[in-house]
Amino acid sequence: MQLQVEENGIVTLTPEGENLIKDSAMYNEGLRPTRKNEHHWTAYNFASLWIGMCICLPAYSLAAGLISIGMNWWQAVGTITLGNLIVLVPILLNSHAGTKYGIPYPVFARLWFGSRGAHIPAIARGIIASGWFGINCWFAGAALDTLLVAMSGWANVPGHLGISFVFMWLLNVVIAYRGPEAVRRMENWAAPTLIVMSLALLVWALTSAGGWGPMLSAPSKFTTTGDFFKVFFPSLTGAIAFWSTLALNIPDFCRYAKTQKSQIVGQSTALPTTMGLFSFIGVAVASATVVIFGEAIWDPAALLAKFSPIVIFLGTLGIILATVTTNVAANVIAPARAVENIWPRKFTYGFGVIVTGLFSLLLQPWFILENFGNYIFGWLGTYGALLGPIEGIAIADYWFVRRRQLQLTELYQPNGRYSYKGGFNQKAIWALLIGIGINVVCKYIPGLEFIWDNAWIVGLLVSMLLYSWFMNKDQSLLSPTEYKKFTKQISG
């Protein structure tokens, strides 16, 4: 029986396929494969998605923070641009699976970790997204607090910063509750708005600092190449880890792509260019603050406080918009789907959004942002060591082990082909543990700390190679003959 149809590189279920799984405990409306009419996202939709996500306060702080630890402007921009070009590779590789089969990230994870083991990478991604959710809300809350302090007697209200944070947290939860399709509509108009506001900030820095020369003339504080590389490699890992989260759950968005070309073109043009431009703006503005105020200010809320109330008002609106476009797209859908996947017949996407918001409070974003060391070396570096091995397993499974051929209906069967033993793929778990373990051990061995500094890349490569070796001739693999048996081919 042919249970799926492949047309122009997009696989959807036949009516027989849908009937086979619709009553499964692992199936619901949010987790099912997308249908043919739901593949409607164009290259512009993906470009606007990335523009809206990249123009955010953590990205600004990452770039400006590299200045504060000693880099000059081109070292900082180059580090971030290189990191985004590197992470674009796994983003596009995992996007192919989401586009071709129309499955969200937790269902994709069932393929390589098993029907129950999928909770391991899904929840890991969800925890990190919850942390980012809180970080973005904290940035926006601080900006709102700055606005209210400048325009009223808000400074006399006890706990005023905490109140501002809670308000922004609630606003983000309410908007996120509306679902992923609302993201596409919001990003369409938010992306050009954020571009204009970012360029306006750059113009202010340029004119106030007296031109490019004074603004970008600050030399690097590193006197030797060795001193620079001690900071460069962990900073590069941080730049990669920044979007390594989306490299995992990008199928949550690409499952709606019209074609493979639309997602490839949209993402390849928008991600590296937007992050490169916005990191330059962050670096330029931080450098300008040294000229203008005598110190490098990498906190946008602290910078806002230097302006008049009307500028603070407009800047706060921009920060709120940047926070919402990033948070709803990048930091809610993944954990909400992870919660939904725990009990598909009972837990909804909306319930997952609420759990995400509550968990973000437990991760204490105010501590992560207490200083730049916590942010890039602690937060970004640590979760980069976790996500690298997971991404290596995902890429190896889809591209090298299964060669892009799978049976959709089996992903929704508790005891199906991809359930492995007891719902867990032990081979994936071992590849993950070894990939993480090598990085952690090297962190504490003198002379091997550089392995930890490059934890994302090392973990990805180690787990990718191990998983490919472990899964050679695994019983879950489809032969080309079996794939043709289940799949009806329709030429364009």
Side-chain angles (χ1 to χ4, degrees):
M1 180 188 300
Q2 292 181 319
L3 302 174
Q4 57 195 38
V5 178
E6 181 173 347
E7 182 178 4
N8 297 323
I10 303 294
V11 176
T12 54
L13 289 176
T14 62
E16 294 82 5
E18 289 209 24
N19 288 332
L20 184 64
I21 64 174
K22 66 180 182 180
D23 295 324
S24 169
M26 299 174 65
Y27 175 99
N28 69 15
E29 278 297 302
L31 298 175
R32 65 166 174 79
T34 49
R35 301 183 178 111
K36 183 178 179 180
N37 65 309
E38 293 172 317
H39 284 270
H40 61 286
W41 281 39
T42 65
Y44 177 78
N45 294 137
F46 285 103
S48 61
L49 173 73
W50 275 109
I51 292 170
M53 290 193 298
C54 290
I55 300 180
C56 62
L57 302 189
Y60 175 95
S61 296
L62 175 64
L66 293 180
I67 295 294
S68 72
I69 61 175
M71 289 189 182
N72 60 29
W73 75 269
W74 63 264
Q75 290 172 338
V77 174
T79 299
I80 292 173
T81 302
L82 177 59
N84 281 275
L85 288 172
I86 292 173
V87 81
L88 179 62
V89 175
I91 286 174
L92 294 179
L93 291 176
N94 288 332
S95 293
H96 192 282
T99 300
K100 182 174 182 177
Y101 291 99
I103 50 177
Y105 171 60
V107 176
F108 184 37
R110 294 173 188 173
L111 185 65
W112 14 287
F113 265 84
S115 55
R116 297 172 64 188
H119 298 313
I120 297 172
I123 292 175
R125 169 67 181 100
I127 291 173
I128 293 164
S130 297
W132 274 119
F133 182 86
I135 288 173
N136 276 277
C137 289
W138 184 260
F139 270 126
L144 178 62
D145 185 69
T146 299
L147 169 66
L148 295 176
V149 167
M151 302 183 69
S152 65
W154 183 247
N156 299 321
V157 177
H160 55 87
L161 177 57
I163 296 172
S164 298
F165 165 67
V166 170
F167 174 81
M168 290 307 307
W169 178 87
L170 284 171
L171 176 65
N172 277 264
V173 168
V174 169
I175 294 175
Y177 195 88
R178 299 181 60 188
E181 186 57 25
V183 175
R184 181 181 66 88
R185 294 192 294 268
M186 177 178 64
E187 300 285 10
N188 284 342
W189 61 266
T193 303
L194 289 171
I195 290 175
V196 171
M197 299 187 76
S198 300
L199 293 176
L201 182 63
L202 179 62
V203 170
W204 166 82
L206 179 63
T207 55
S208 299
W212 296 114
M215 186 167 61
L216 300 177
S217 61
S220 171
K221 295 180 181 178
F222 306 112
T223 56
T224 67
T225 303
D227 290 339
F228 170 72
F229 280 130
K230 287 180 181 178
V231 172
F232 168 74
F233 285 113
S235 298
L236 179 64
T237 295
I240 294 171
F242 195 92
W243 288 122
S244 65
T245 52
L246 261 293
L248 274 178
N249 78 290
I250 194 65
D252 286 331
F253 301 99
C254 288
R255 62 192 296 220
Y256 303 107
K258 196 170 185 178
T259 62
Q260 294 287 0
K261 181 180 178 180
S262 65
Q263 62 90 1
I264 292 172
V265 171
Q267 297 191 98
S268 299
T269 54
L271 170 58
T273 54
T274 305
M275 280 297 288
L277 174 61
F278 196 59
S279 64
F280 175 76
I281 291 174
V283 166
V285 173
S287 300
T289 60
V290 175
V291 177
I292 300 167
F293 303 115
E295 60 176 333
I297 302 176
W298 63 276
D299 183 348
L303 179 60
L304 263 184
K306 304 286 187 179
F307 293 93
S308 64
I310 184 61
V311 175
I312 295 176
F313 175 75
L314 294 175
T316 301
L317 291 180
I319 288 175
I320 291 174
L321 180 61
T323 300
V324 170
T325 56
T326 300
N327 252 2
V328 174
N331 304 322
V332 176
I333 292 178
R337 293 290 187 219
V339 171
E340 191 178 7
N341 188 53
I342 293 174
W343 197 355
R345 287 296 181 181
K346 295 292 183 180
F347 293 164
T348 64
Y349 169 82
F351 176 74
V353 170
I354 295 172
V355 172
T356 299
L358 293 175
F359 193 77
S360 71
L361 300 178
L362 296 178
L363 294 177
Q364 304 180 66
W366 45 87
F367 172 75
I368 295 174
L369 294 172
E370 187 176 11
N371 62 63
F372 190 66
N374 288 343
Y375 180 49
I376 189 168
F377 301 125
W379 174 246
L380 293 177
T382 299
Y383 83 62
L386 170 64
L387 294 190
I390 297 177
E391 287 170 28
I393 292 170
I395 293 169
D397 185 277
Y398 181 73
W399 287 92
F400 307 139
V401 175
R402 303 187 196 281
R403 300 184 185 278
R404 305 180 301 282
Q405 293 188 341
L406 58 98
Q407 186 180 348
L408 271 177
T409 56
E410 290 294 297
L411 289 170
Y412 298 86
Q413 303 291 352
N415 298 307
R417 178 187 293 269
Y418 306 121
S419 291
Y420 303 96
K421 185 178 181 180
F424 293 89
N425 184 1
Q426 299 292 337
K427 298 173 182 178
I429 293 174
W430 278 112
L432 173 64
L433 292 176
I434 295 172
I436 295 174
I438 287 176
N439 283 317
V440 173
V441 170
C442 289
K443 180 180 181 180
Y444 299 101
I445 297 179
L448 294 180
E449 297 91 343
F450 71 94
I451 299 293
W452 174 260
D453 291 342
N454 297 277
W456 182 86
I457 295 176
V458 172
L460 182 146
L461 293 176
V462 168
S463 293
M464 178 188 293
L465 293 173
L466 286 175
Y467 184 82
S468 298
W469 180 38
F470 292 161
M471 289 294 289
N472 184 37
K473 297 181 180 180
D474 188 82
Q475 292 182 350
S476 69
L477 305 187
L478 275 176
S479 69
T481 302
E482 288 178 303
Y483 182 75
K484 291 179 181 178
K485 175 183 176 183
F486 292 115
T487 308
K488 179 180 180 181
Q489 300 282 345
I490 299 178
S491 61

